[in-house]
Amino acid sequence: MNNGLSIVFDNAPSSHKEGFIEEEAINNDILIFHLPKINDKIHPSERYLDKKLFKSSRFRINPRDNIKQIKKQISKFLKNKISGKKYQSISIIYSFLDLKRLYLVRFLSKICENYSSQVQLIPYFEPIRLNDILVLPRIIKVCFSLLIQKFCLKVKKLYLFSNLNRFFYEIFFDQIFLYPYKDSKLKNKINTQEIINSFNSSDKCLNIIFIGQLIKRKDPLILLKASIALKFKVKISFFGVGPLENKLKKFVKDQNHSNIEVKFYGFLDNQKLIRIINEYDVIVLPSRFDGFGFVISEAIKYGTYAIVSNQVGAKDLLCNGSKGSVFRAGSKNQLKNQLSIHYLRTKIRK
């Protein structure tokens, strides 16, 4: 009898979960089902599907197929991969809240009972967002889904990407385990000389990178306000688009401070961004809320210091202080202090 099988049932092919999958694969067999949302033409990480690890263990379900067709695909894939095997236990790790896909999770668990007498369902969720005007309908929807999972699907424990707003899930589940996103340990680190043409490092200038949508929730304006208040030169590169872009440009123009240079690069492909992150002194993610913040795990991977707000799930990756620091969301002074400390840490000592 085989020891165990872990089935990861995910929204889409996800590069940021491969570190977690690798850990699961140490003691267990691995299968991965990918089910994008029906309106998703392509998930940002889906382009990596054929290049990533565990290629032979992955199966992508067409979200436009009907339930009957999807069930048939799931059954066929399982039969091809584990027919004739018996496992001591099977864990189905999923990230769904909607009833349609929870129904598929239940269907998958029923099939797995043919291969093991111990089948457990484990949700793997991001923090619940509690700080905007949509909080009430969101809570109602999530509560209903969690109650269905607890009492109908018999879910006993939960995995979380971050401890942010963990108290909400503790209302429903006693067994909660923290598993932040982790980078793959089996892939080689990208080594490239590509940098932005206009990027020019200076020993006495703090080079900051911001990656994300230029929207209120990401709060890029607080980064500008904090940077203008600094007593040393700063260069900020904004990578992203959004409705706040003109407002940010106007703010910089109106302030007219000689200590700050700001450039807006618009959207840049994720792979190209990854290659230039380590050319900067610090990445800043000042969001009013971010379930995780995948760019922070990438920054850590390439040795770039990260400063994030306390409403960013990836703050859990910075707990020891050597990889980054955390400030209170919306606090210009705290962010300014963190930038100043990092400037002293990296520039003055050179």
Side-chain angles (χ1 to χ4, degrees):
M1 178 177 287
N2 300 70
N3 288 334
L5 170 66
S6 292
I7 300 177
V8 180
F9 198 8
D10 198 9
N11 293 49
S14 303
S15 61
H16 52 265
K17 286 184 181 173
E18 286 197 340
F20 168 79
I21 293 172
E22 286 171 12
E23 290 188 354
E24 287 291 307
I26 292 174
N27 297 314
N28 301 317
D29 290 345
I30 286 286
L31 293 178
I32 307 166
F33 287 95
H34 298 304
L35 180 56
K37 294 179 181 179
I38 194 166
N39 293 324
D40 287 346
K41 293 181 179 179
I42 184 169
H43 188 277
S45 62
E46 190 166 345
R47 70 192 68 185
Y48 307 128
L49 177 60
D50 293 333
K51 301 176 183 178
K52 291 295 183 181
L53 306 168
F54 308 107
K55 179 180 176 180
S56 63
S57 301
R58 294 179 186 258
F59 181 74
R60 185 186 188 279
I61 299 169
N62 185 346
R64 296 191 178 278
D65 287 344
N66 59 42
I67 291 292
K68 185 176 180 179
Q69 291 171 319
I70 292 175
K71 289 167 64 176
K72 186 176 180 179
Q73 292 175 48
I74 291 174
S75 299
K76 182 177 179 180
F77 181 75
L78 282 177
K79 184 177 180 180
N80 289 338
K81 291 297 179 180
I82 61 175
S83 179
K85 294 183 178 180
K86 284 289 185 179
Y87 290 95
Q88 290 183 5
S89 65
I90 297 178
S91 297
I92 301 173
I93 305 165
Y94 62 92
S95 55
F96 307 127
L97 285 169
D98 61 283
L99 297 184
K100 177 182 177 181
R101 288 182 292 182
L102 288 176
Y103 170 77
L104 292 175
V105 170
R106 184 175 182 274
F107 171 76
L108 177 59
S109 70
K110 292 296 181 183
I111 297 179
C112 288
E113 289 176 0
N114 296 321
Y115 303 97
S116 175
S117 59
Q118 299 182 45
V119 179
Q120 63 174 339
L121 303 180
I122 308 175
Y124 189 15
F125 292 148
E126 68 175 25
I128 180 69
R129 186 171 165 187
L130 299 174
N131 58 347
D132 61 32
I133 59 175
L134 297 177
V135 63
L136 184 57
R138 181 180 301 115
I139 287 178
I140 293 173
K141 174 184 176 181
V142 174
C143 285
F144 180 71
S145 177
L146 294 179
L147 288 171
I148 291 292
Q149 293 176 66
K150 181 172 183 177
F151 295 108
C152 296
L153 300 185
K154 307 300 182 183
V155 169
K156 303 297 183 184
K157 63 183 180 180
L158 173 71
Y159 291 169
L160 288 181
F161 301 158
S162 166
N163 276 322
L164 184 63
N165 294 337
R166 173 177 176 148
F167 72 90
F168 177 81
Y169 290 107
E170 289 176 340
I171 298 173
F172 300 90
F173 300 102
D174 295 326
Q175 299 184 56
I176 298 180
F177 301 88
L178 179 65
Y179 286 96
Y181 288 133
K182 298 178 181 179
D183 288 304
S184 169
K185 296 179 181 179
L186 304 180
K187 294 179 293 184
N188 293 325
K189 181 176 177 178
I190 295 172
N191 182 15
T192 179
Q193 297 301 314
E194 287 187 41
I195 59 172
I196 305 168
N197 292 333
S198 60
F199 182 86
N200 183 18
S201 181
S202 168
D203 282 346
K204 297 300 181 182
C205 175
L206 188 68
N207 292 286
I208 303 171
I209 183 172
F210 173 98
I211 302 173
Q213 294 175 288
L214 303 181
I215 57 177
K216 288 184 178 180
R217 182 171 63 82
K218 297 287 186 178
D219 206 4
L221 184 58
I222 198 70
L223 173 57
L224 289 178
K225 290 179 177 179
S227 298
I228 285 174
L230 296 171
K231 303 299 183 182
F232 48 85
K233 290 186 178 181
V234 176
K235 290 183 180 180
I236 306 177
S237 297
F238 282 97
F239 290 93
V241 296
L244 287 185
E245 182 172 347
N246 290 334
K247 181 178 180 179
L248 296 172
K249 290 179 177 178
K250 184 177 185 301
F251 178 85
V252 173
K253 183 179 179 181
D254 291 346
Q255 296 299 316
N256 193 28
H257 277 255
S258 60
N259 76 308
I260 185 170
E261 178 183 337
V262 182
K263 292 190 177 181
F264 295 85
Y265 292 95
F267 175 81
L268 190 65
D269 180 82
N270 286 344
Q271 279 296 91
K272 293 181 179 179
L273 277 174
I274 289 170
R275 292 169 183 159
I276 64 172
I277 284 179
N278 65 346
E279 301 296 334
Y280 288 84
D281 296 313
V282 59
I283 182 172
V284 179
L285 188 57
S287 304
R288 298 177 183 180
F289 179 86
D290 243 309
F292 191 71
F294 306 120
V295 293
I296 300 304
S297 61
E298 292 292 346
I300 292 173
K301 177 180 177 180
Y302 295 106
T304 301
Y305 195 81
I307 298 177
V308 306
S309 81
N310 62 347
Q311 293 300 312
V312 172
K315 68 177 183 178
D316 295 312
L317 301 179
L318 310 176
C319 56
N320 61 12
S322 62
K323 300 174 181 178
S325 58
V326 180
F327 71 98
R328 189 178 73 251
S331 174
K332 182 190 77 173
N333 288 335
Q334 285 193 16
L335 177 54
K336 181 190 74 171
N337 291 340
Q338 294 291 351
L339 290 170
S340 297
I341 291 171
H342 188 58
Y343 175 78
L344 292 172
R345 180 187 296 113
T346 60
K347 300 299 180 181
I348 299 302
R349 69 185 182 187
K350 288 183 178 181

